[in-house]
Amino acid sequence: MPIHDPFIELFHFICNKVDSVGDVVSALNQNELAYFTVNALRNEVNNGGFEQFFFNSAGDLYRETLLGLKKIGASETLELLERASRIAFGTVLPPNNRQARWKLLDMLSTDSRAALAKLEDSFYKGLDRLDASLQRFATETKLVSPFISDFRH
């Protein structure tokens, strides 16, 4: 029997909403956008590091992800993402265009990749705190309320 996880159901609901509209920013309200972008960051970094976040379409939403991290109160992760951006892109913000980001990521030095790996280690160590912040935010904003059911057997 599958385990009921209302937070995963919420994320899938938001993803379906984005897919139906095609544009993340116009499809979601501010709370949904924060929850979506922080989850996307979490999933991308967890699967392939900060480079994967910047490489994939989640990196298109870098600015929104920063705002999402602020909104959910994940200051440690916010700092790690800002540091990763500085390592990968210097003092400019990551380009919104994926191909432009790819070109810059291709030019990362071995030292820069090692620095990103250190940040990723810190990210993984703080994953439980990030997850707790996401769950607290979804609960406080009542985003998750429609997906919570009372299972009594």
Side-chain angles (χ1 to χ4, degrees):
M1 176 177 211
I3 296 175
H4 172 75
D5 185 330
F7 298 99
I8 291 174
E9 287 185 30
L10 168 61
F11 185 64
H12 289 163
F13 170 79
I14 292 172
C15 289
N16 289 335
K17 201 171 170 181
V18 169
D19 288 343
S20 70
V21 175
D23 176 52
V24 174
V25 176
S26 63
L28 306 176
N29 66 44
Q30 292 302 305
N31 289 338
E32 291 170 333
L33 184 61
Y35 192 79
F36 177 81
T37 57
V38 173
N39 264 290
L41 170 71
R42 181 208 182 283
N43 294 339
E44 293 287 0
V45 176
N46 201 39
N47 287 325
F50 283 108
E51 240 183 292
Q52 180 170 312
F53 169 78
F54 290 122
F55 186 88
N56 288 334
S57 59
D60 296 349
L61 300 170
Y62 172 78
R63 291 151 187 82
E64 290 83 359
T65 305
L66 292 177
L67 293 173
L69 290 164
K70 287 178 188 173
K71 195 170 185 86
I72 74 162
S75 57
E76 291 174 34
T77 306
L78 173 66
E79 182 183 332
L80 291 172
L81 180 58
E82 288 175 326
R83 288 172 56 197
S85 175
R86 284 192 299 275
I87 289 168
F89 305 104
T91 58
V92 297
L93 291 175
N96 289 334
N97 178 282
R98 282 178 78 185
Q99 287 78 17
R101 286 195 313 274
W102 293 348
K103 287 179 185 176
L104 294 170
L105 290 170
D106 280 343
M107 295 187 298
L108 284 177
S109 68
T110 303
D111 288 345
S112 293
R113 290 180 198 280
L116 285 175
K118 279 186 168 183
L119 291 181
E120 290 155 8
D121 288 343
S122 296
F123 179 88
Y124 303 137
K125 288 176 186 169
L127 207 47
D128 288 342
R129 287 187 300 280
L130 180 60
D131 288 344
S133 294
L134 276 164
Q135 289 183 3
R136 184 178 55 254
F137 176 77
T139 302
E140 289 173 356
T141 59
K142 301 193 183 328
L143 282 174
V144 75
S145 295
F147 305 97
I148 295 175
S149 13
D150 185 11
F151 286 101
R152 293 177 197 227
H153 300 280

